[in-house]
Amino acid sequence: MSGSVLEIKNLHVSIEDKEILKGVNLTIKGGEFHAIMGPNGTGKSTLASAIMGHPKYEVTEGSIILDGEDVLEMEVDERARAGLFLAMQYPSEISGVTTSDFLRSAINARREEGDEVSLMKFIKQLDKDLDLLEIDQNMATRYLNEGFSGGEKKRNEILQLLQINPAIAILDEIDSGLDIDALKIVSKGINKMRGEDFGCLMITHYQRLLNYITPDFVHVMMQGRVVKSGGPELAKRLEEEGYEWIKEELGITDETVEQNA
Amino acid sequence: MTVETKLPFDKDYLEQFSKERNEPAWMSELRVSALSQVNTLEMPKPDKTNIRNWNFNTFKHEFTSGQAVTTTTELPEEIQAYFDEENKAENLLIQRNHSVAFSTLNEDLKDKGVIFTDIFTALNEHSDLVEKYYMKEAVSVDQDRLTALHAALMNGGIFIYVPKNVQIEAPIQAIFWQEDPETALFNHVLIVAEEGSSLTYLENYVSHNEEQKTVANIVTEVFAHDNAQVAYGAVDHFAAGTTTYVNRRGVAQRDAKINWALGQMNDGNTVSENITYLLGDNATSEAKAVTVGRGKQTQNFTSSIRQFGKQTDAFILQRGVMKGSATTIFNAIGKIEHGGSKSNSEQESRVLMLSEKARGDANPILLIDEDDVTAGHAASVGRVDPLQMYYLMSRGLTKEEAERLVIHGFLEPVVSQIPIESVRKQLTQVIERKVN
């Protein structure tokens, strides 16, 4: 079986009765890397949160379908076990729970009772992934995200991505706050996931990330919708010319979702 | 409003009880004198908890022997869970009801003069030493009606004595197993660490009386002389039928350290007081405690460190998880006395509420009678953070598993301080059972 398919159709999302997404359409298939770009306040992170099921976001219209299953009917954990993963912009700190205990729980959550991953196998894979991401071994025994620097949190999100090995991953501003060396390492981790069985949606402000992870499709979001889609060349043009030309082309004066609120 | 305590014990009963144990005269006299004070003393008054309707009077007192065993494998599994059979404490005493079922002490420690024995043997063999400390400086007989009752009716416990400059590496473990469901435990733990000595002690209280009513009235007294170090761990797990009143008290002299890690997992109503006196300069104490309240139980925990010496350092940490319609009051009291200059008093109390009907209160109290000191406190009562749950569930963990991790993480700062791994595991399992 080749990869999964995530279909987002006419998605409308509100937070505290304020509509942020106003009809997003997007399909991500296994083997594809998509990038969503756009200025601040256009609804990019809201899309990521709504797909995963963040408790504050309410879907008012539209659908999200993963391999024929209605994602909106699923609880957050069911979405995850169905194959979705979200690398968060602001991961929670979980005091008293070590990163390695948490990772084992997450891996075992996808396995049947009695078929839990063996400790040896788990440690072996963990060591490999820690090496790849150039993370200090002691992170495994530190409490999850507690006292982590911004860069450590991002690497930890990618560590989780590698360990959990989802069908479709959404990376919400995984590049923010990273220096160029850290960005290269994080990109190395993400690129390792490439394959027929893995689809990825990267959300970013900057073209910079796309120098290291080449997307197959680039989408621009404004006013809570995808307003333009293209190939990698679209990202290049955005880097050179900014967003103004799109606004002009589409007759948009204020690209944020505020405009007709 | 005083509750009439009509207990079926008189002077003759106590003298007979004492005689049967071959106790020294001072002990017999102490019992009788304590009994004469019982009815004139007030009941303890734990802050914000009404104990008037609690059972303090229904119990059996007579000395109840438990069957001795030659190897620990003869014990039931639920008791074996408290130690690791393959890596057993070298220094282990198991009290079954009121008698010793099993005990062992490392030969080398014996040669060095270390005493680790049940309280009745200690009263026979080390009467003067016990008398010097027993219910004098730490817990006094006339503190309240229940401490007087304890002095009168004491029917179990241990004595640990560590001579000057003896360092004990391996933990000393005591298991107090209340096998008879109606028998009361008036347990007394007395620990004396002489100058420059050190020890790690861990105790477990266990009972299984869900229906039958009884009481546990426990006094612990720890004396850490100059430069001595005592690490004291406990997992209390009396069943729902037991009303518990426990006083754990420590006295630390110059440069001494007393650290507490208390896992307070009783299922019945409980009043627990843990007070440490830092008498000498540079004395330090950490008082850490966790509890899980469930069902209808009401609990009141006080952790207090009173700092008399200069440059003393105190840290109180309390963590509680409340579910069902359980009620728990946490009092953290840091007190720096006049003269305790350059001392530091810190405290943190946090309560996690898992149900609408549960009640939890954290009362941080700092009392400072000296100018040149530092102090700080933090207290909170809250629910599980929905964003933490979202984060964990977004990795595929079920709601139950995510909540379990958050709770364990919340209690971890205290659980991790329990010195024996098997007991730490066992405590983790008890927590698991109590929160699920």
Side-chain angles (χ1 to χ4, degrees):
Chain A
M1 191 191 96
S2 64
S4 293
V5 181
L6 179 70
E7 295 170 271
I8 299 155
K9 282 186 185 152
N10 188 32
L11 191 69
H12 290 248
V13 175
S14 295
I15 178 165
E16 285 155 6
D17 292 329
K18 183 172 176 301
E19 189 168 63
I20 310 277
L21 296 189
K22 296 162 182 173
V24 173
N25 293 292
L26 196 63
T27 299
I28 300 154
K29 294 181 182 154
E32 297 176 353
F33 271 58
H34 292 247
I36 290 196
M37 305 189 67
N40 267 328
T42 52
K44 302 188 301 298
S45 288
T46 298
L47 176 63
S49 297
I51 295 171
M52 203 67 235
H54 189 294
K56 282 209 169 138
Y57 295 83
E58 190 196 350
V59 174
T60 53
E61 208 184 321
S63 65
I64 304 176
I65 307 289
L66 177 67
D67 298 330
E69 303 279 335
D70 184 354
V71 170
L72 297 177
E73 286 294 305
M74 300 179 193
E75 297 293 332
V76 175
D77 57 318
E78 293 169 327
R79 298 180 192 200
R81 292 196 300 275
L84 295 178
F85 179 91
L86 171 60
M88 297 195 192
Q89 203 177 342
Y90 304 108
S92 290
E93 300 188 358
I94 315 287
S95 186
V97 177
T98 64
T99 301
S100 78
D101 279 353
F102 159 71
L103 281 170
R104 263 179 89 193
S105 296
I107 291 167
N108 286 329
R110 290 162 173 76
R111 301 170 71 112
E112 294 295 314
E113 217 177 307
D115 184 38
E116 286 89 357
V117 63
S118 81
L119 188 59
M120 285 302 291
K121 204 175 156 197
F122 168 72
I123 291 172
K124 233 173 119 183
Q125 189 58 46
L126 181 60
D127 282 348
K128 243 166 121 180
D129 292 342
L130 287 170
D131 276 354
L132 179 80
L133 295 171
E134 299 178 34
I135 297 172
D136 194 298
Q137 293 278 342
N138 80 10
M139 186 195 270
T141 54
R142 287 167 71 191
Y143 295 150
L144 184 59
N145 290 320
E146 192 180 61
F148 285 22
S149 68
E152 284 176 322
K153 284 182 182 168
K154 300 288 180 181
R155 285 190 211 202
N156 189 280
E157 292 293 286
I158 299 307
L159 175 67
Q160 294 177 36
L161 170 72
L162 293 172
Q163 291 269 304
I164 288 170
N165 193 20
I168 304 278
I170 303 147
L171 313 177
D172 190 5
E173 301 203 10
I174 198 68
D175 52 338
S176 70
L178 292 183
D179 61 32
I180 198 73
D181 293 331
L183 183 65
K184 283 182 189 171
I185 293 163
V186 161
S187 302
K188 190 168 63 174
I190 298 165
N191 281 322
K192 188 164 176 275
M193 293 294 296
R194 272 190 195 273
E196 282 304 298
D197 293 332
F198 179 68
C200 187
L201 177 64
M202 298 175 283
I203 290 170
T204 180
H205 283 305
Y206 308 106
Q207 143 77 19
R208 189 176 75 141
L209 174 69
L210 308 182
N211 290 336
Y212 301 98
I213 309 169
T214 313
D216 305 296
F217 304 94
V218 175
H219 313 276
V220 177
M221 250 179 108
M222 287 186 183
Q223 296 178 338
R225 290 185 196 90
V226 174
V227 293
K228 194 164 189 68
S229 295
E233 74 289 344
L234 176 57
K236 283 267 186 288
R237 187 165 173 203
L238 289 171
E239 192 194 17
E240 284 156 15
E241 300 177 32
Y243 292 100
E244 284 305 316
W245 62 276
I246 297 183
K247 285 163 71 177
E248 264 168 44
E249 200 176 288
L250 300 171
I252 294 171
T253 47
D254 180 0
E255 73 278 13
T256 68
V257 293
E258 303 291 334
Q259 43 90 40
N260 53 5
Chain B
M1 64 156 270
T2 49
V3 189
E4 264 322 298
T5 322
K6 290 207 178 63
L7 293 165
F9 312 112
D10 58 15
K11 184 167 176 278
D12 292 346
Y13 173 84
L14 289 184
E15 281 173 348
Q16 186 60 29
F17 185 90
S18 188
K19 199 173 155 197
E20 282 166 15
R21 318 263 91 68
N22 292 313
E23 288 177 358
W26 69 263
M27 189 64 189
S28 181
E29 285 156 18
L30 180 82
R31 287 180 183 278
V32 171
S33 149
L35 184 70
S36 72
Q37 300 174 59
V38 165
N39 280 319
T40 57
L41 290 166
E42 297 275 329
M43 285 293 281
K45 288 193 186 63
D47 196 30
K48 296 187 186 174
T49 301
N50 184 351
I51 63 171
R52 224 181 313 166
N53 296 322
W54 291 18
N55 169 47
F56 288 106
N57 295 340
T58 304
F59 60 86
K60 260 175 28 184
H61 175 262
E62 49 272 30
F63 192 88
T64 312
S65 294
Q67 200 193 335
V69 295
T70 45
T71 66
T72 49
T73 48
E74 294 168 47
L75 294 164
E77 267 177 37
E78 70 249 34
I79 301 303
Q80 287 192 45
Y82 286 88
F83 48 84
D84 180 355
E85 188 57 43
E86 268 145 44
N87 192 12
K88 202 159 49 196
E90 281 182 275
N91 314 302
L92 172 67
L93 187 149
I94 301 172
Q95 177 177 301
R96 190 168 183 174
N97 294 324
H98 303 131
S99 67
V100 175
F102 181 85
S103 86
T104 165
L105 175 64
N106 176 295
E107 287 297 325
D108 180 48
L109 293 180
K110 269 187 217 167
D111 293 344
K112 284 178 176 161
V114 172
I115 301 166
F116 174 40
T117 182
D118 69 277
I119 194 82
F120 297 111
T121 303
L123 284 166
N124 274 291
E125 295 177 2
H126 312 282
S127 170
D128 292 350
L129 207 44
V130 175
E131 188 185 7
K132 189 174 163 194
Y133 296 98
Y134 191 91
M135 297 198 83
K136 290 201 164 64
E137 256 188 277
V139 177
S140 59
V141 172
D142 62 0
Q143 174 185 302
D144 56 54
R145 184 181 297 174
L146 294 181
T147 53
L149 203 58
H150 173 92
L153 298 178
M154 188 278 289
N155 61 9
I158 57 160
F159 175 56
I160 298 175
Y161 178 80
V162 188
K164 193 171 167 180
N165 294 330
V166 173
Q167 318 275 330
I168 305 180
E169 299 290 329
I172 290 180
Q173 187 180 7
I175 298 171
F176 303 105
W177 173 26
Q178 209 46 34
E179 188 181 20
D180 184 311
E182 291 169 349
T183 292
L185 185 59
F186 287 79
N187 211 55
H188 200 101
V189 174
L190 179 58
I191 298 177
V192 178
E194 292 284 12
E195 201 180 318
S197 70
S198 71
L199 81 150
T200 297
Y201 166 74
L202 180 60
E203 66 188 6
N204 298 94
Y205 285 97
V206 198
S207 81
H208 297 97
N209 51 312
E210 299 299 331
E211 302 296 328
Q212 299 94 332
K213 299 238 171 299
T214 189
V215 303
N217 182 332
I218 295 159
V219 171
T220 279
E221 300 180 287
V222 175
F223 297 88
H225 288 279
D226 290 359
N227 205 25
Q229 301 198 357
V230 180
Y232 192 111
V235 178
D236 302 351
H237 196 201
F238 283 110
T242 300
T243 305
T244 303
Y245 181 59
V246 51
N247 277 280
R248 290 189 175 100
R249 214 59 69 84
V251 179
Q253 304 292 345
R254 185 174 51 78
D255 297 314
K257 180 197 277 187
I258 300 178
N259 285 350
W260 310 88
L262 310 177
Q264 305 191 295
M265 297 296 147
N266 293 338
D267 282 324
N269 290 343
T270 299
V271 171
S272 164
E273 259 196 11
N274 176 213
I275 303 178
T276 310
Y277 301 103
L278 301 181
L279 296 187
D281 295 350
N282 294 313
T284 65
S285 178
E286 287 181 0
K288 299 184 177 179
V290 283
T291 189
V292 176
R294 68 169 168 185
K296 290 190 170 125
Q297 75 178 134
T298 298
Q299 302 187 92
N300 186 297
F301 299 103
T302 298
S303 294
S304 175
I305 303 178
R306 292 182 62 178
Q307 299 166 253
F308 296 84
K310 294 188 201 322
Q311 289 178 4
T312 59
D313 198 5
F315 178 53
I316 296 169
L317 179 70
Q318 299 175 315
R319 294 269 164 120
V321 174
M322 293 301 109
K323 58 174 293 191
S325 45
T327 300
T328 302
I329 309 292
F330 289 95
N331 302 303
I333 309 170
K335 180 152 201 241
I336 301 180
E337 306 285 345
H338 183 65
S341 57
K342 305 243 183 303
S343 288
N344 179 42
S345 172
E346 299 287 338
Q347 54 176 265
E348 184 191 318
S349 304
R350 300 201 185 280
V351 184
L352 190 61
M353 311 291 282
L354 297 185
S355 83
E356 296 293 330
K357 284 189 197 151
R359 218 189 118 210
D361 255 354
N363 306 311
I365 301 163
L366 276 171
L367 304 164
I368 310 230
D369 286 337
E370 178 61 47
D371 294 330
D372 184 14
V373 299
T374 54
H377 64 80
S380 66
V381 177
R383 299 190 179 279
V384 176
D385 177 1
L387 288 182
Q388 284 190 337
M389 291 294 288
Y390 166 62
Y391 184 66
L392 293 173
M393 287 171 70
S394 81
R395 299 325 187 214
L397 273 54
T398 59
K399 187 165 180 269
E400 293 71 30
E401 177 71 2
E403 198 171 86
R404 195 185 71 85
L405 277 188
V406 170
I407 291 166
H408 278 290
F410 178 75
L411 300 177
E412 174 67 12
V414 184
V415 175
S416 63
Q417 301 298 306
I418 297 290
I420 295 176
E421 199 195 339
S422 54
V423 178
R424 212 160 43 233
K425 271 193 193 149
Q426 198 275 335
L427 172 59
T428 303
Q429 282 164 12
V430 171
I431 291 171
E432 203 102 311
R433 279 204 298 275
K434 289 197 79 168
V435 295
N436 286 334

